[in-house]
Amino acid sequence: MDVSDPTAMRALAHPLRLDLLELLGATGPATAAHCGRILGAPQANCSFHLRQLAKYGFVEDAGPGRDQRERRWRLPEGSTRLRIPAGADKVVRRELERVVIERETRAILAHVDHKARDLDATGDQPAQRLAHAVVALSAAEAEQLWRQWTALLEPYAARTATEGQHYLRFFAAATPITGTGPKEDGDAADN
């Protein structure tokens, strides 16, 4: 799902809304009460944010559950991932990127903290992996590497976990290191 409308992007710039989208993508249709229990948020908050997401087409009514009074929500068919087109409003794009990065960082740190406390892990979950690298790439090579990375994840992104599988959070960022290009290196050597 491409998101280019600044108002719709602003609608996503709330961590609970991103949590709700992630949860519905992983578990399928759910009520606001169910989402609240899993996310540790009040049902009323989840209900409000689900309605806001529905207003912009990020979620939709999934029909009643077992209890006909409960409203269930789901992701629209085929919307497994949000994409922000290159020409999107720069200020709103930066705001949304910041929320996503902060949210992912908190999730990684929470897992590390939880893992440190829980020394009796059963070993049935995939191991946590962290990778860090500094590489020299041209703009074209960086784009190629990014496309390879996303293509590698693509077949797994739309799957629903089955027995023995777990949802894993993958987060990648390619950020240039300022002051380290060939021009800057030559300047530093003159000193």
Side-chain angles (χ1 to χ4, degrees), residues 6-18:
T7 308
M9 285 196 300
R10 277 191 196 94
L12 290 175
H14 190 286
L16 182 55
R17 292 180 188 170
L18 294 173

Side-chain angles (χ1 to χ4, degrees), residues 124-141:
D124 66 337
Q125 289 192 356
Q128 171 183 307
R129 305 273 189 226
L130 297 174
H132 174 265
V134 175
V135 295
L137 300 171
S138 68
E141 290 170 327

Side-chain angles (χ1 to χ4, degrees), residues 6 26 47 83 100-102 112 122 155 181 183 190:
S47 182
R83 293 180 183 92
V100 169
I101 291 167
E102 288 172 350
V112 169
T122 61
K183 291 178 186 172
D190 293 337

Side-chain angles (χ1 to χ4, degrees), residues 8 18 30 46 55 65 72 84 106 109 126 149 154 157 168:
L18 294 173
C46 290
K55 181 177 174 181
R72 295 181 324 137
I84 303 171
R106 280 193 305 274
L109 291 173
W149 164 255
E154 190 68 35
L168 278 85

